[in-house]
Amino acid sequence: MSKLTVFTGSMFAGKSTALVEAGKKESEGGKTVLFIKPTLDSRYSENEIVTHDGESVRAMVIDHDTQMDMIDFFTIIGADVVLFDEVQFFTDDLVEMVSDLVGDGKTVYVAGLNSDYKLKPFETTTKLMEIADEVKVLTAVCADCAKQGATVTIKTSGSDDRIELGSEDIYKPVCHECYLPPVASSKGGDK
């Protein structure tokens, strides 16, 4: 049964871990799985998906702005299940590719950030969520107040670049309350 599942949320929410676990479960069920990651994500490994807690799986690496017709390639190698990590780095071509894979009877899982550090949504992730059969929004522990429920990723490097590869050295997850400090209330008489 073909299906698209999206894992999304902030950094450190367990998106890649959920993707790896889904692939392992499908493999244990007798399915042929193919993990894919973009060339842009070389933080931990060139040819593996590596979770923040160090678990890894071998992955096919494709250019994040590929124009290739990958559908025939997937059919030829016989993958039943295709799993894409870091989908926010891919162009909109990935949305059409995923739609075609699902239409071809494949089960597809994708994992990607919901938004950048300015809370601007990543377009590819958003579009995949719109066509998904299931969306799982994962949360992290807030780096500031230590409560579960962090859905925002903030940048600590000081750079204004939208895409800056890194981990806890550059980013941290926070909840909305810590992201948006309380507005100072005006005291009587101030106009």
Side-chain angles (χ1 to χ4, degrees):
M1 179 175 133
S2 63
K3 168 180 164 175
L4 170 59
T5 301
V6 175
F7 300 112
T8 191
S10 68
M11 284 190 70
F12 312 106
K15 299 175 305 299
S16 295
T17 299
L19 188 78
V20 169
E21 288 174 2
K24 286 182 176 180
K25 184 175 180 184
E26 292 281 2
S27 181
E28 289 167 2
K31 304 289 184 182
T32 302
V33 302
L34 174 63
F35 288 95
I36 298 174
K37 70 180 240 174
T39 53
L40 190 60
D41 182 25
S42 59
R43 291 172 296 174
Y44 302 118
S45 173
E46 294 291 327
N47 58 4
E48 294 177 310
I49 294 171
V50 181
T51 66
H52 290 296
D53 57 3
E55 189 171 358
S56 64
V57 293
R58 198 117 174 101
M60 176 183 179
V61 181
I62 62 174
D63 193 27
H64 64 279
D65 62 355
T66 186
Q67 300 293 321
M68 294 172 49
D69 179 13
M70 299 295 290
I71 305 308
D72 290 337
F73 180 72
F74 295 139
T75 302
I76 290 168
I77 64 169
D80 302 309
V81 181
V82 184
L83 303 100
F84 293 90
D85 198 24
E86 304 293 353
V87 295
Q88 74 276 359
F89 293 146
F90 287 98
T91 64
D92 285 352
D93 290 337
L94 182 68
V95 179
E96 183 178 343
M97 185 187 304
V98 166
S99 182
D100 289 346
L101 285 168
V102 172
D104 196 34
K106 309 291 183 194
T107 298
V108 180
Y109 295 88
V110 302
L113 287 171
N114 54 353
S115 62
D116 65 16
Y117 72 101
K118 293 182 179 179
L119 289 184
K120 182 179 177 193
F122 281 106
E123 297 81 10
T124 302
T125 306
T126 300
K127 289 178 181 179
L128 287 165
M129 290 168 60
E130 290 171 356
I131 64 169
D133 297 292
E134 183 176 17
V135 176
K136 296 184 178 186
V137 179
L138 306 175
T139 62
V141 173
C142 179
D144 288 348
C145 71
K147 293 180 186 171
Q148 182 67 37
T151 57
V152 179
T153 303
I154 62 171
K155 189 183 279 194
T156 59
S157 70
S159 166
D160 286 336
D161 294 337
R162 184 173 196 208
I163 304 294
E164 184 176 7
L165 288 183
S167 190
E168 56 274 337
D169 58 329
I170 297 176
Y171 297 100
K172 68 179 183 177
V174 296
C175 64
H176 279 280
E177 292 163 356
C178 291
Y179 180 76
L180 301 171
V183 177
S185 61
S186 60
K187 301 289 180 183
D190 291 344
K191 296 199 184 215

